[in-house]
């Protein structure tokens, strides 16, 4: 596999740059704060057993996760060490050289890189810059499908554009995929961060041959737990992924599974808190971008904690971001890590110090 450009950039800068203005995970919390949400949880956590856990994930955790779905049961849920393990594992068991894969582009790199490393033929389904943000043409999907298409890879809410598929769009894609005998892998790691009042369901609730990817890292702001999962009603895919997991992590960390159960019990509260942080930050950003219309195109997110804005100043996005890190200690993510053309950059809206970071960016602009 080629180098993972986004992760490589973060590895260099994430832990040494003070003002993080591009992160995709919402504000996190301490173990103590999480345990505090549930009476008795601290005592039970201290007494929890550090043995192996079940390969599929503990029954209680799978029950909690399944409760998020309309059509998936605990036996349709397979817990993984974060979302990344599940992406790798699914692609390995499901795809082979010569298969054709359509993926929403730009994309989080592992969503297409792993398929390419397996010798698959890939077609990007392009999100486009419109007059008021990013757009996706569902009609185009049908044109991209070929006789050897095995998989459509979706990501909604989308990294990096903040585009979000509605339930009607989910249904249309499910109908197209069913009609053409194609599976759908739907990365929904930002699910829960929607605020347009419309329903945004899990793809595996619509389509029997879909695999939905969920995680506690992003919308819940708990990436340190490394708890993710897939939900699928397709038993062959499920069983293949269980057998593959014997060769990767076998099972997840027992303390993390305990904490994940507590988080999901209070999931609605955590999501509400994180959506309100994002919405408040969007109002600060609107103000900032209207003051600096000569420098940026504001592509406000439709959902999720990130947006993909455009720099209008000359000099290139990589140089702008690097200069900003050096002068003001502010981390924006240059769009070239997504292999897109144009001076785009990712901004993260999920952190409580967003306004402070924005002030630093503003000082940078004023010289
Ligand atoms: C779309 C998408 N999928 C998967 C992941 C990986 O998530 P995790 O850190 O939970 O493994 C990320 C992380 O940024 C992501 O943005």
């Amino acid at each position: 596999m080629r180098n993972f450009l986004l992760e490589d950039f973060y590895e260099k800068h994430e832990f040494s740059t003070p003002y993080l203005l591009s992160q995709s995970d919402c504000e996190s919390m301490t173990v103590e704060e999480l345990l505090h949400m549930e009476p008795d949880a601290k005592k039970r956590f201290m007494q929890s057993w550090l043995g192996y856990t079940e390969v599929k994930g503990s029954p209680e955790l799978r029950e909690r996760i399944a409760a998020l779905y309309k059509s998936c049961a605990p036996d349709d849920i397979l817990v993984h060490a974060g979302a990344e393990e599940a992406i790798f594992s699914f692609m390995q068991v499901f795809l082979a050289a010569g298969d054709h894969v359509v993926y929403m582009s730009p994309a989080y790199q592992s969503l297409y890189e792993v398929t390419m490393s397996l010798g698959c033929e890939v077609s990007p389904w392009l999100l486009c810059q419109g007059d008021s943000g990013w757009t996706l043409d569902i009609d185009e999907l049908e044109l991209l499908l070929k006789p050897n298409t095995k998989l459509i890879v979706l990501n909604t809410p989308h990294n990096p554009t903040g585009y979000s598929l509605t339930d009607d769009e989910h249904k249309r894609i499910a109908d197209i995929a069913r009609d053409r005998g194609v599976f759908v892998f739907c990365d929904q790691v930002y699910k829960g961060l929607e605020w347009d009042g419309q329903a945004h369901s899990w793809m595996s609730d619509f389509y029997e041959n879909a695999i939905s990817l969920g995680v506690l890292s992003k919308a819940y702001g708990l990436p340190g737990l490394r708890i993710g999962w897939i939900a699928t009603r397709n038993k062959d895919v499920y069983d293949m992924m269980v057998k593959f997991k014997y060769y990767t992590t076998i099972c997840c960390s027992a303390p993390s599974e305990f904490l994940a159960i507590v988080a999901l019990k209070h999931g609605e509260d955590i999501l509400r808190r994180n959506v309100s942080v994002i919405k408040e930050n969007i109002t600060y950003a609107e103000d900032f971008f209207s003051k600096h219309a000569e420098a940026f195109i504001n592509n406000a997110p439709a959902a999720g904690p990130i947006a993909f804005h455009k720099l209008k100043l000359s000099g290139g996005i990589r140089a702008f971001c690097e200069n900003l890190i050096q002068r003001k200690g502010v981390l924006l993510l240059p769009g070239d890590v997504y292999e897109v053309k144009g001076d785009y950059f990712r901004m993260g809206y999920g952190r409580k110090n967003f306004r402070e970071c924005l002030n630093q960016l503003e000082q940078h602009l004023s010289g």
Side-chain angles (χ1 to χ4, degrees):
M1 280 179 278
R2 298 176 306 158
N3 193 17
F4 200 139
L5 300 171
L6 178 153
E7 298 298 345
D8 197 43
F9 183 81
Y10 274 136
E11 182 60 19
K12 278 197 195 96
H13 300 294
E14 186 177 6
F15 296 99
S16 54
T17 311
Y19 299 101
L20 301 176
L21 191 52
S22 62
Q23 306 317 103
S24 62
D25 46 343
C26 289
E27 186 79 22
S28 198
M29 61 179 95
T30 62
V31 172
E32 193 165 26
E33 281 169 311
L34 179 59
L35 290 172
H36 198 68
M37 297 182 109
E38 174 79 4
D40 226 25
K42 193 166 177 181
K43 189 166 155 228
R44 285 186 292 119
F45 182 59
M46 297 312 282
Q47 290 166 351
S48 60
W49 191 249
L50 288 175
Y52 279 107
T53 60
E54 291 187 31
V55 174
K56 295 175 181 176
S58 83
E60 191 182 353
L61 177 56
R62 285 186 292 123
E63 214 166 285
R64 286 269 160 210
I65 296 170
L68 303 173
Y69 296 76
K70 289 194 196 88
S71 315
C72 295
D75 283 347
D76 301 327
I77 308 295
L78 180 57
V79 180
H80 285 86
E84 195 75 307
E85 184 194 15
I87 294 171
F88 185 75
S89 167
F90 169 72
M91 304 296 181
Q92 297 296 326
V93 300
F94 187 72
L95 295 168
D99 291 337
H100 176 242
V101 178
V102 175
Y103 70 98
M104 276 165 78
S105 173
Y108 183 66
Q109 193 174 334
S110 54
L111 293 174
Y112 59 94
E113 193 69 42
V114 181
T115 68
M116 281 164 55
S117 76
L118 292 166
C120 296
E121 184 194 343
V122 294
S123 298
W125 178 22
L126 294 179
L127 286 124
C128 297
Q129 166 85 70
D131 290 338
S132 50
W134 291 90
T135 62
L136 184 70
D137 181 1
I138 307 283
D139 292 335
E140 210 180 296
L141 176 63
E142 287 200 83
L143 304 175
L144 290 169
L145 298 179
K146 299 181 180 188
N148 63 333
T149 307
K150 193 152 183 212
L151 183 68
I152 299 166
V153 178
L154 307 174
N155 171 210
T156 179
H158 182 250
N159 176 0
T161 62
Y163 185 87
S164 186
L165 292 168
T166 62
D167 274 11
D168 283 347
E169 288 173 325
H170 271 119
K171 276 185 211 144
R172 266 194 75 197
I173 295 170
D175 287 344
I176 293 169
R178 189 179 289 112
D179 192 45
R180 303 287 287 263
V182 173
F183 279 58
V184 174
F185 183 84
C186 192
D187 180 330
Q188 298 187 270
V189 300
Y190 299 101
K191 186 158 164 19
L193 301 177
E194 296 95 356
W195 56 80
D196 60 4
Q198 293 196 50
H200 297 266
S201 305
W202 296 96
M203 191 61 174
S204 49
D205 278 338
F206 288 118
Y207 183 31
E208 57 289 357
N209 286 331
I211 295 89
S212 279
L213 177 68
V215 83
L216 291 181
S217 305
K218 308 293 185 181
Y220 296 86
L222 300 168
L225 293 184
R226 310 307 299 137
I227 293 286
W229 62 87
I230 58 99
T232 185
R233 289 180 275 151
N234 184 296
K235 281 297 146 210
D236 291 340
V237 168
Y238 187 94
D239 291 343
M240 286 191 294
M241 289 185 74
V242 170
K243 290 187 165 63
F244 195 81
K245 201 176 164 207
Y246 299 152
Y247 284 108
T248 55
T249 55
I250 302 177
C251 65
C252 289
S253 134
S256 284
E257 288 205 344
F258 182 99
L259 296 170
I261 291 166
V262 176
L264 285 169
K265 268 190 194 168
H266 300 275
E268 289 296 322
D269 290 339
I270 297 173
L271 293 178
R272 210 173 297 118
R273 182 200 74 166
N274 291 344
V275 166
S276 93
V277 171
I278 293 169
K279 281 168 85 173
E280 189 177 339
N281 289 340
I282 286 177
T283 63
Y284 298 138
E286 295 289 343
D287 189 39
F288 170 85
F289 284 122
S290 65
K291 276 204 277 181
H292 296 285
E294 79 300 341
F296 303 107
I297 294 175
N298 173 16
N299 288 317
I306 45 184
F308 210 38
H309 304 296
K310 190 166 190 184
L311 177 75
K312 286 159 83 181
L313 305 174
S314 59
I317 192 60
R318 180 56 74 141
F320 181 84
C321 292
E322 276 171 2
N323 204 7
L324 181 63
I325 292 170
Q326 266 151 33
R327 288 191 61 230
K328 291 289 168 194
V330 177
L331 191 65
L332 287 176
L333 181 66
D336 56 24
V337 301
Y338 290 93
E339 304 185 270
V340 293
K341 291 202 179 78
D343 287 333
Y344 289 98
F345 63 93
R346 189 176 89 180
M347 192 179 255
Y349 286 78
R351 299 292 179 89
K352 286 187 176 157
N353 70 343
F354 180 86
R355 208 174 178 185
E356 213 185 323
C357 297
L358 214 53
N359 287 339
Q360 294 293 317
L361 173 57
E362 189 145 45
Q363 283 178 27
H364 177 67
L365 292 173
S366 58

Coordinates of all heavy atoms in Angstrom, one line a residue, residues 24 82-84 87 108 111 155 159 187 189-190 215 217-218 226, ligand 1:
S24 N -11.1 15.6 13.2 CA -12.4 15.0 12.8 C -13.1 14.4 14.0 O -14.2 13.8 13.8 CB -12.1 14.0 11.7 OG -11.3 13.0 12.2
G82 N -11.5 0.0 16.6 CA -11.7 1.2 15.8 C -12.3 0.9 14.4 O -12.5 -0.3 14.1
A83 N -12.5 1.9 13.6 CA -13.1 1.7 12.3 C -12.1 1.2 11.3 O -12.4 0.4 10.4 CB -13.6 3.1 11.8
E84 N -10.8 1.6 11.5 CA -9.8 1.2 10.6 C -9.6 -0.3 10.4 O -9.4 -0.8 9.3 CB -8.5 1.9 11.0 CG -7.4 2.0 10.0 CD -7.7 3.0 8.9 OE1 -8.7 3.1 8.3 OE2 -6.8 3.8 8.7
I87 N -12.4 -1.6 8.2 CA -12.2 -1.3 6.8 C -11.2 -2.3 6.1 O -11.5 -2.9 5.1 CB -11.7 0.1 6.6 CG1 -12.7 1.2 7.0 CG2 -11.3 0.4 5.1 CD1 -12.2 2.6 7.1
Y108 N -11.4 9.4 2.5 CA -10.4 8.9 3.5 C -9.6 7.8 2.9 O -10.2 6.8 2.4 CB -11.2 8.4 4.8 CG -10.3 8.0 5.9 CD1 -9.5 9.0 6.6 CD2 -10.3 6.7 6.4 CE1 -8.8 8.6 7.7 CE2 -9.6 6.3 7.5 CZ -8.8 7.3 8.1 OH -8.0 6.9 9.2
L111 N -10.2 3.9 2.4 CA -11.4 3.4 1.7 C -11.2 3.1 0.3 O -12.0 2.3 -0.3 CB -12.6 4.5 1.8 CG -13.1 4.7 3.2 CD1 -14.1 5.9 3.3 CD2 -13.7 3.4 3.8
N155 N -19.4 7.1 2.1 CA -19.0 7.6 3.4 C -19.9 8.8 3.7 O -19.9 9.8 3.0 CB -17.5 8.1 3.3 CG -17.1 8.9 4.6 OD1 -16.2 9.8 4.5 ND2 -17.6 8.6 5.7
N159 N -16.3 12.6 5.0 CA -14.9 13.1 5.2 C -14.3 13.3 3.9 O -14.1 12.3 3.2 CB -14.1 12.2 6.1 CG -12.7 12.6 6.3 OD1 -12.3 13.6 5.9 ND2 -12.0 11.8 7.0
D187 N -19.4 3.8 5.2 CA -18.6 4.3 6.3 C -19.4 5.4 6.9 O -19.6 6.5 6.4 CB -17.2 4.8 5.8 CG -16.4 5.3 6.9 OD1 -16.9 5.8 7.9 OD2 -15.1 5.3 6.8
V189 N -18.9 6.6 10.2 CA -18.3 6.9 11.4 C -18.7 8.3 12.0 O -18.5 8.6 13.2 CB -16.7 6.8 11.4 CG1 -16.3 5.4 11.0 CG2 -16.1 7.9 10.4
Y190 N -19.3 9.2 11.2 CA -19.7 10.5 11.7 C -21.2 10.5 11.9 O -21.7 11.6 12.2 CB -19.3 11.6 10.7 CG -17.8 11.7 10.5 CD1 -17.2 11.1 9.4 CD2 -17.0 12.2 11.5 CE1 -15.8 11.1 9.2 CE2 -15.6 12.2 11.3 CZ -15.0 11.7 10.2 OH -13.7 11.7 10.0
V215 N -18.5 3.8 14.8 CA -17.3 3.9 15.7 C -17.7 4.8 16.8 O -18.5 5.7 16.7 CB -16.1 4.3 14.9 CG1 -16.0 5.8 14.7 CG2 -14.8 3.8 15.6
S217 N -15.2 6.8 17.9 CA -14.1 7.8 17.8 C -14.6 9.2 17.5 O -14.0 10.1 18.0 CB -13.1 7.4 16.7 OG -12.7 6.1 16.9
K218 N -15.6 9.3 16.6 CA -15.8 10.6 16.0 C -17.0 11.4 16.6 O -16.8 12.3 17.4 CB -16.0 10.4 14.5 CG -15.0 9.6 13.8 CD -13.6 10.3 13.8 CE -12.6 9.5 13.0 NZ -11.3 10.2 13.0
R226 N -10.8 3.0 21.0 CA -10.6 2.1 19.8 C -11.8 1.1 19.7 O -11.5 -0.1 19.6 CB -9.3 1.4 19.8 CG -8.1 2.3 20.1 CD -8.0 3.5 19.1 NE -7.9 3.1 17.7 CZ -8.5 3.7 16.7 NH1 -9.4 4.7 17.0 NH2 -8.4 3.3 15.5
Ligands
LIG1 C1 -14.2 8.3 7.1 C2 -13.3 7.7 8.1 N1 -13.3 6.3 8.3 C3 -12.6 5.7 9.2 C4 -11.7 6.4 10.0 C5 -10.9 5.7 11.0 O1 -11.5 5.8 12.3 P1 -10.8 5.2 13.6 O2 -9.8 6.1 14.1 O3 -12.0 5.0 14.6 O4 -10.2 3.8 13.3 C6 -11.6 7.8 9.9 C7 -10.7 8.6 10.7 O5 -10.4 9.7 10.5 C8 -12.5 8.4 8.9 O6 -12.5 9.8 8.8

